[in-house]
Amino acid sequence: MSGRGEPGGYDPRTQRTGAVMPDRKQTIESLEIEHRVFPPPPEFAAQATADADLLRRAAEDPEAYWAEEAARLDWMSPWEQLVDRSNHPFYKWFVGGTLNASVNCLDRHLAERADKVAFHWEGEPGDTQTITYADLHERVCRLANGLRSLGVGRGDRVAIYLGMVPELPAAMLACARIGAPHTVVFGGFSPDSLRDRIQDCECTAVITADEGWRNGKTVPLKANTDEALTECPSVTSTVVVRRTGGDVGWVEGRDHWYDELVAAQPAECEPEAMDAEDMLYILYTSGTTGKPKGIVHTTGGYLTGAASTHRYVFDIKDDDVYWCAADCGWVTGHTYIVYGPLANGCTGVLYEGAPGFPAEDRWWEIVERYGVSILYMAPTAIRTFMKWGPEHPAAHDMSSLRLLGSVGEPINPEAWMWYHEHIGGGRCPIVDTWWQTETGCIMISPLPGVTPTKPGSATFAMPGISADIVDEAGNSVGLGAGGYLVLTEPWPSMLRTLYGDDERFVETYWSQYEGKYLAGDGARRDDDGYYWFLGRIDDVMNVSGHRLSTIEIESALVDHEAVAEAAVVGRSDETTGQAIAAFVTLKGDVTGDEELIGTLRKHVATRIGPIARPKSIVLTDDLPKTRSGKIMRRLLRDISEHRQLGDVTTLANAEVVADIADMAESARAAGDED
Ligand code: WT7
């Protein structure tokens, strides 16, 4: 493991990180064109929801700003104290206030927007549903009642393991309605990953489906759940959505069909009055150890941040059709598909499947069909579309688009420009939004009607947010320099702790710099104060905008009977941002061949999920180690990226390096083929 300041970490002097971003090409590229500035188009600025005055007011009095933003929500009883700072870093927001998130997302819109579309949903096979706010309210109430009938109540944790079907947001809101924190587990995760999450927060119920659709194939969600549940004694019931109609196993007494459960329920459901600080959900994300962290978000602060940032960053108007093309299994889906947009009474698009199914213009067909006006996606998707070619978007009328967003990883200027031209028709502002599962909502981003953008820069801190870049000693590095990104004041949607592990919460985020939140990203500010993100400073990779821990993948590899030792690094990849490169030594009696490599890649996919499948695996007799026995991941990263290797004479086994470099080259070529 290499943490901050160790060989794999980010070096503020050179502005280089051991993690892959920025690769040299990108840094040079961004430096070359960072003088390009795109001011907000005047017509856009003239109608924008967020203006310079908003920024000024927030800067003058951030607490008054957050009080005003929170007041846009419907509170059941008002808060007595805006923020309680007495027990750093365990901040509390809107102390004493009560509210219900599902009421804010649904009930309060019914008087004026009952028939407004909440979601245009499109299944991968082409089936569609138009779901109004009244429809969604009814679905949520019925399911909430159904969950209560199964004995699920306030404070119980519920796992949700579904594809992108309408029942997924409905399930999240049904949990919120009865005060049962949800933990959504991405439908691409394996039974083991599901099991670990259920066990960690001791869920009492799981909401899943028979199967999901992905790339024309079915994903065995119920079978995976059954496998996970053999080791989850806390779970007493499951609710199963019929999606594909495929055969499933059944445990009488435990398993319930969703449609049968909700049909018997009333269409109204009394919501729980939740304390602002009551947990709304737990979402697991990879950290620097093998054990995922359960990020805890609360009701009042989180919802305030979600609704407020959604409104301003995406300039939401009543007639917008907004598409955040993420999955609800990640925080982007929580904040910008479900809680933010619905709190704002916005019309959204939900798409179930893969971008290339059945053809490479599926997304653009959707944009055209629903008249999407705001589109939010990850750079990895943009780069995939670049690869597929501009003729696909060009074949569709996308003149409805007026604003584009990017999230999940640094966007390289080339992808930014392509997005701007080929998707935005040269007329749409782009908001490059930096945030994390932990921050709950966008922290650094342009305001589309105010901020002149520079391709590749997330620009400035949001209203009400205080950020800085510091050096190793914790001193602000000022303009034109790089270092570690910190947030210097608490904010409403900040994580409150790691589930069941206050100590790791303090240690991970608050122990490096007195009173400051350490984000784990390297960044620099240019002379104009624009933030440029440079990638993680720890052993966390970012593959297609998904956070993965090197250690988690190493554990999965070592868990295979043939493997003695494994080291995993992220190397830069044209499409996915980073790709997983593994280096493996085998047990003495095992001979390695192509077949074994295939088996090991599959093994990791089975253990964690297909997103964790290594792109290349090098079998080697030895791994480069320091004399104290620490694996030099930094060196493996340099090898993987064809970087000049520094002094290797301090290694205990310098002779292995040349061999590994040769093998990495051929493994890389093979990995790029699939
Ligand atoms: C990490 C957080 C935020 C929702 C999706 C990912 C990287 C995220 C950007 C951006 C550069 C970005 C950071 C961050 N990241 N957005 N606009 N520019 N880097 O959430 O899984 O919690 O990952 O993603 O490294 O720490 P996450």
Side-chain angles (χ1 to χ4, degrees), residues 201 326 572 587:
C201 65
S572 61
K587 292 193 178 142

Side-chain angles (χ1 to χ4, degrees), residues 541 548-558 566 568 580 582 604 608 611-614:
M541 295 175 289
L548 291 163
S549 134
T550 55
I551 315 273
E552 234 175 313
I553 297 169
E554 286 168 7
S555 311
L557 282 166
V558 173
V568 167
I580 302 166
V604 176
I608 303 175
I611 47 167
R613 188 197 317 269

Side-chain angles (χ1 to χ4, degrees), residues 8-67:
Y10 172 76
D11 179 347
R13 286 167 305 251
T14 57
Q15 296 181 18
R16 287 281 304 281
T17 142
V20 175
M21 288 294 183
D23 71 13
R24 198 168 275 150
K25 181 161 162 277
Q26 176 174 337
T27 310
I28 292 167
E29 195 180 38
S30 30
L31 289 173
E32 271 168 6
I33 62 172
E34 79 178 31
H35 60 267
R36 270 196 284 196
V37 179
F38 293 80
E43 324 76 72
F44 194 103
Q47 58 83 64
T49 306
D51 55 17
D53 187 52
L54 182 88
L55 272 172
R56 189 187 46 74
R57 280 188 292 125
E60 272 168 24
D61 191 346
E63 293 199 356
Y65 171 80
W66 285 122

Side-chain angles (χ1 to χ4, degrees), residues 164 168 172 184-189 197 281 283-286 302 324-338 435 437 543-548 611:
M164 283 290 283
L168 175 45
M172 294 163 72
V184 181
V185 179
F186 174 56
F189 273 134
R197 287 156 176 75
Y281 67 82
L283 184 60
Y284 286 85
T285 187
S286 295
Y302 171 78
C324 166
D327 191 290
C328 289
W330 314 111
V331 75
T332 307
H334 283 62
T335 307
Y336 297 110
I337 293 177
V338 181
W435 58 296
T437 307
V543 180
S544 298
H546 297 143
R547 209 203 280 197
L548 291 163
I611 47 167

